[in-house]
Amino acid sequence: MYVEVLVEIQNKHVDRTFTYRVPENLQNEIQIGKRVLVPFGSQMLEGYILNVLETSEVDAKDIFEVLDEEPVLNEEMLELGKCLKNLTLSSLSSCYGAMLPKALKAKKKVQIKKKMESYLKLCMSFESAREEAQNDSQKKVIDLFQEDHLIFKKKANQVSASAVKTLLKNHILEEIEEEVYRYTMKEVAKKEKKVFTKEQESAYKKIKEGLETSKVYLLHGVTGSGKTEIYLELIEDVIRSGKQALVLVPEISLTPQLVHRFSERFTRIAVLHSGLSDGERYDEWRKILKGEADIVIGARSAIFAPLSNIGIIIFDEEHSDSYKQENNPKYHALDIAKIRSGTHHSPIVLGSATPTLDTMARAMKHVYEYVPLLTRANGKLMPTVTIIDMEEETKARHTILSRELECKMIEKLNKNEQVLLLLNRRGHSTTITCSNCGFTYRCPNCDIALTYHKSSNQLRCHYCGYTKFKSDVCPECKEEGLSYYGLGTEKLEDYLEEVFPRARVIRMDRDSTTKKGAYEQIIEDFGAHKYDILLGTQMISKGLDFEHVTLVGILNADQSLNIPDYRSNEKTFDLLCQASGRSGRSETPGEVIIQTFYPDHYILKCVQNHNYLDFYKYEMNIRKTLKYPPFYYLVTILIKSKNYESASRESRKVKDYLTKHLEKTSIILGPATASQFLLNKIYHFEITIKYKFDEHLKETLKELDEIYLTNKEVSLDIDFH
Ligand code: ADP
Ligand code: ZN
């Protein structure tokens, strides 16, 4: 017997299987999808069995060990991995790697095992055991079994370890080992479903009709329109028919609040996100494999959850960037969902208040079914949005908080209501410059200004992570001339404490939430009104539901408009709508104040009027004129090298290659310097391809990729948008 093994090697150009012989004693353990340990050169490596053969021409080495009792990759997943490779042009082993939790990847040194616990089991009826017990301490142990025939051994040992020993010896009790799961969800009181509004009812019915199909639905509803209630109801139908639900949410909104809402209705839930330890993830994954979960709630990679009978796939906040993986394999979870939806005959529901233009365009062309929800389910009005011209305010020396926002904050705080402030910049100051000689701290690897973090007195590069301690004097001219420019969340926090000395202020950004559980703690505390003002980066804009928040202030609405990305308008609109949606979610009507240097910008007007459709039309026009998605597909190729000359030279060669092989209708732009030209001492050039249909594209890119795999100096990075 022989097996073909996909060996896990970092090197992309050995992405192929190798044949090994299976020694007699391991033959009945062999199954496709299990991991094995095999000799490779002078090392022992792990790999996945992809095929079993009876004979082989090759002079094969023996496999050393079979690592799994059950396959880690089932048939569907083996196939999905191949699709993923084809979609992203990544190596097959990196694709399987992306699909599996760390503990199940074919990678040595990951040692995560099942967590076993010793249990005691009663070998007879409770009454007989009581009679057999010889003394009081034995009786006390037996009494623990009144409710349950199985208890933790630890628990009985606390009563009397020696009595337990005797009872075991006399076969009144027996000891068994069982697996326990590391992650446990809090028990939550179950809640009845809400009575649907007319609008919810018809949306729900429409999607329910498609439960046995592979249709894609766009559930387009403003924040608070009751989308989540509809998901819950659909999931209940799916579970009742013996199937399972896969719910994807952006990492950032996978809050205890959301999980709590699901546990109010359901019990058999598995959760997959980056906040879990490797052990917890491993357990949740295996819970799913064993069919012990009806619902999986997770971030992007949960799209690979090994559910066997999917009945519905839900993407909450479908417009979120987090569904696209930014490193290899660069996949979008929706593409994987569509494959799985086809396999399982289950619909996909895309829920959002601000769908991506791509999704909306498909819905308008009836590729997706359009299901709108126009009003808030609980009858609450949308918040009123005020736009403040910061040029005026700056003249009046109000550079951080405008007069209007400051007044409103005072008013709300006096009424004991809560305020959210969004500032999408972490750190203290974004630039430190010497007013004497003009020196500016810059990253030596990336050539951008370093951000000052006051709490650690460090200067940090937000691209590569480079850090440096700040000195008191200018490192160039040695004068005490350092000045701090630009506003980050840390500086804002200081400022608020100065202006509102009695308000309780809490900050939420990546720096204040590094410890496990810190994020959840802030949400819980703010929800319990232990703080009056929550300030933070976009982390605070998504999915949170605080009933006492009546004012949302957005401090630098412009910043994301100026990012050189064709989606910057879309991203800004989305961020501002999401953030606004946090205001006035209960009895008191909400208000939103947006500070900007472009008060007349069309995007801001659309936000102010809660008008997605106007935004959609306006932005589609721009995209059409500039030949961007959804009118054209987009691929970017990054050409990277430590050597400027090589990067520049090779990028011109890549361009020539593309020009020669692609259709004439495809547009090839560049090479140009990438928006982050120098990153971690590596130079980046960029070529963009815009195309509608190009028969030769995939093949050409594959060829290019292969050409550069073996190039030691220059590498390519291909990204399908
Ligand atoms: P979305 O997911 O669209 O933001 P949710 O489902 O979270 O909306 O609903 C917003 C709020 O309205 C929640 O507090 C929810 O409990 C409430 N809600 C939803 N549907 C109803 C309904 N039919 N009747 C009363 N309240 C509802
Ligand atoms: Zn850097």
Side-chain angles (χ1 to χ4, degrees), residues 443-448 450 461-466 676 678-681:
C443 175
N445 307 325
C446 308
D447 199 39
I448 56 155
L450 292 171
C461 171
H462 283 187
Y463 285 100
C464 74
Y466 169 87
Q676 191 55 42
L678 184 63
L679 181 64
N680 239 332
K681 291 202 167 114

Side-chain angles (χ1 to χ4, degrees), residues 207-215 217 237-238 241-243 309-312 341-342 344-347:
I207 302 174
K208 188 180 155 87
E209 276 169 21
L211 276 186
E212 303 286 328
T213 71
S214 307
K215 283 189 184 164
Y217 293 89
D237 293 331
V238 163
S241 69
K243 296 186 180 183
N309 193 3
I310 300 175
I312 192 166
S341 145
H344 292 261
H345 304 290
S346 56

Side-chain angles (χ1 to χ4, degrees), residues 57-94:
E57 304 283 292
V58 249
D59 178 24
K61 290 185 188 164
D62 280 6
I63 64 167
F64 186 71
E65 194 186 341
V66 180
L67 297 169
D68 298 305
E69 285 170 32
E70 298 293 328
V72 293
L73 292 163
N74 62 23
E75 215 174 296
E76 188 196 359
M77 295 172 73
L78 284 163
E79 207 44 51
L80 265 184
K82 290 176 196 159
C83 298
L84 187 55
K85 175 186 159 84
N86 202 24
L87 279 173
T88 61
L89 303 181
S90 296
S91 71
L92 189 55
S93 64
S94 76

Side-chain angles (χ1 to χ4, degrees), residues 191 193-198 200-201 219 221-232 258 261 264 316-317 352-353 373 375-380 543 545 581-582 585:
K191 264 198 189 160
K193 64 171 249 195
K194 295 213 160 55
V195 179
F196 274 160
T197 61
K198 272 217 182 82
Q200 278 175 313
E201 183 68 28
L219 182 58
V222 294
T223 47
S225 57
K227 296 186 290 293
T228 311
E229 286 299 316
I230 296 178
Y231 304 152
L232 293 172
L258 181 95
R261 261 181 93 181
E264 281 174 350
D316 190 30
E317 316 276 4
S352 177
L373 290 173
T375 49
R376 282 187 157 179
N378 47 11
K380 300 290 165 318
D545 196 348
R582 303 307 116 212
R585 290 179 74 90

Side-chain angles (χ1 to χ4, degrees), residues 138-154:
Q138 287 186 17
K139 282 201 169 69
K140 264 193 196 146
V141 173
I142 298 296
D143 283 344
L144 297 173
F145 290 86
Q146 196 149 14
E147 301 278 304
D148 201 343
H149 271 213
L150 204 62
I151 62 162
F152 278 131
K153 188 174 180 202
K154 271 191 240 150

Side-chain angles (χ1 to χ4, degrees), residues 275-302:
L276 301 182
S277 69
D278 290 334
E280 287 171 333
R281 246 168 197 278
Y282 170 70
D283 288 351
E284 293 298 287
W285 187 264
R286 289 182 31 267
K287 207 194 263 179
I288 302 166
L289 259 183
K290 288 196 263 175
E292 293 171 15
D294 297 327
I295 306 175
V296 174
I297 310 177
R300 177 183 59 235
S301 66

